[in-house]
């Protein structure tokens, strides 16, 4: 059984953009635990990341589907006294336990774009998933109003096949009632054959689900 952790255990003190990579050669090697966020365009990924790190605009929200074709890396909780040297790939001192990398993965569902663009994204995602030894968890975001599809099931199967833990985050919970939230969580647990402890209900608008996500991160760093 999952251990219940009191809220506020992991505090977010700072978050900064490190790098946007259009190619796996540009992925930064930082050597600390990493957590990635994935979801189709408009799932609410940017809003959720901003909510998690207490920032209005660290990640731009409401961007047109297909606009983000980069993997964006953020460093969370770097103390001001600690510097990172990209050449030596070392910090100027010991990394504190609560410091981690947060990764914003490109959305999928680019029906309007050319096949070439979609392929490029798939390749980059594949390279990301196979080249991040300190990746702990992929948070898989899905709008709570939508019924899950085979595409999502396949994506989760793909991550699991690479031994990557997936946590499902139901977004925009404020758009539906409490009973529908519980029903969706149960339906998703059945559909994905998923442990309910690994399904989190969230709303960026109402700032719910934040403590659950941070507790999960705290347990893995
Ligand atoms: P992304 O494309 O996955 O990064 O999604 P965004 O974060 O840009 O959000 C897409 C749209 O959904 C925007 O219009 C947001 O304002 C809206 N949205 C995101 N999160 C929430 C939420 O928790 N509640 C509500 N009501 N709307 C949300």
């Amino acid at each position: 059984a999952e251990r219940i952790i009191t809220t506020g255990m992991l505090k977010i003190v700072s978050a900064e953009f490190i790098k946007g990579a259009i190619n796996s050669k540009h992925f930064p090697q930082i050597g600390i635990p990493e957590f990635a966020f994935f979801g189709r365009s408009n799932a609410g990924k940017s809003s959720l990341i901003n909510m998690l790190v207490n920032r209005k605009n660290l990640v731009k929200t409401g961007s047109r589907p297909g606009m983000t074709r980069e993997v964006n890396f953020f460093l969370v909780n770097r103390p001001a006294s600690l510097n990172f040297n990209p050449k030596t790939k070392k910090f100027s001192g010991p990394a504190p336990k609560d410091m981690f990398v947060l990764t914003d993965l490109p959305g999928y569902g680019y029906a309007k774009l050319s096949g070439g663009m979609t392929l490029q994204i798939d390749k980059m995602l594949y390279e990301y998933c196979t080249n991040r030894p300190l990746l702990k968890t992929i948070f898989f975001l899905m709008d709570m109003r939508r019924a899950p599809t085979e595409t999502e099931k396949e994506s989760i199967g793909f991550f699991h096949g690479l031994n990557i833990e997936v946590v499902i985050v139901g977004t925009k919970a404020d758009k539906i009632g409490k009973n529908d939230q519980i029903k969706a969580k149960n339906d998703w647990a059945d559909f994905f054959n998923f442990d309910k402890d690994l399904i989190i209900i969230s709303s960026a608008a109402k700032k719910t689900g934040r403590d659950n996500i941070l507790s999960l991160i705290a347990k893995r760093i």
Side-chain angles (χ1 to χ4, degrees), residues 140-211:
F140 196 118
L141 276 56
M142 284 182 261
D143 190 322
M144 293 211 76
R145 296 168 298 178
R146 291 185 56 250
T149 66
E150 286 301 322
T151 309
E152 275 127 9
K153 204 186 244 180
E154 280 165 20
S155 301
I156 290 174
F158 166 75
F159 296 136
H160 280 165
L162 294 168
N163 276 321
I164 301 170
E165 181 189 48
V166 176
V167 170
I168 294 176
V169 180
T171 60
K172 311 189 192 182
D174 58 284
K175 297 263 198 186
I176 59 175
K178 188 87 192 159
N179 289 339
D180 286 339
Q181 292 175 19
I182 293 163
K183 185 179 182 302
K185 184 167 174 169
N186 289 332
D187 288 350
W188 290 7
D190 283 345
F191 183 78
F192 293 115
N193 190 20
F194 234 70
D195 186 340
K196 270 190 226 166
D197 287 340
L198 297 181
I199 304 176
I200 295 174
I201 296 172
S202 82
S203 159
K206 292 265 189 287
K207 294 196 192 301
T208 51
R210 184 174 186 272
D211 289 344

Side-chain angles (χ1 to χ4, degrees), residues 37-52 55-56 59-63 65 68 102 104-105 107-108 139-146 152 169-175 188 202-206 208 213:
F37 290 78
F38 180 74
R40 70 183 288 148
S41 304
N42 216 39
K45 183 162 53 74
S46 315
S47 303
L48 184 90
I49 292 173
N50 288 331
M51 187 265 273
L52 282 178
R55 291 272 292 273
K56 273 215 171 82
V59 183
K60 275 200 202 110
T61 56
S63 53
T68 315
L102 189 160
D104 182 8
L105 294 171
Y108 62 99
F139 290 96
F140 196 118
L141 276 56
M142 284 182 261
D143 190 322
M144 293 211 76
R145 296 168 298 178
R146 291 185 56 250
E152 275 127 9
V169 180
T171 60
K172 311 189 192 182
D174 58 284
K175 297 263 198 186
W188 290 7
S202 82
S203 159
K206 292 265 189 287
T208 51
I213 295 171

Side-chain angles (χ1 to χ4, degrees), residues 17-70:
F17 175 73
I18 321 172
K19 194 160 190 140
I22 51 160
N23 178 313
S24 60
K25 288 192 203 81
H26 300 142
F27 291 170
Q29 303 302 333
I30 306 166
I32 60 169
E34 183 161 322
F35 298 86
F37 290 78
F38 180 74
R40 70 183 288 148
S41 304
N42 216 39
K45 183 162 53 74
S46 315
S47 303
L48 184 90
I49 292 173
N50 288 331
M51 187 265 273
L52 282 178
V53 299
N54 287 322
R55 291 272 292 273
K56 273 215 171 82
N57 254 314
L58 187 70
V59 183
K60 275 200 202 110
T61 56
S63 53
R64 204 156 48 79
M67 286 292 279
T68 315
R69 290 174 204 121
E70 296 183 337

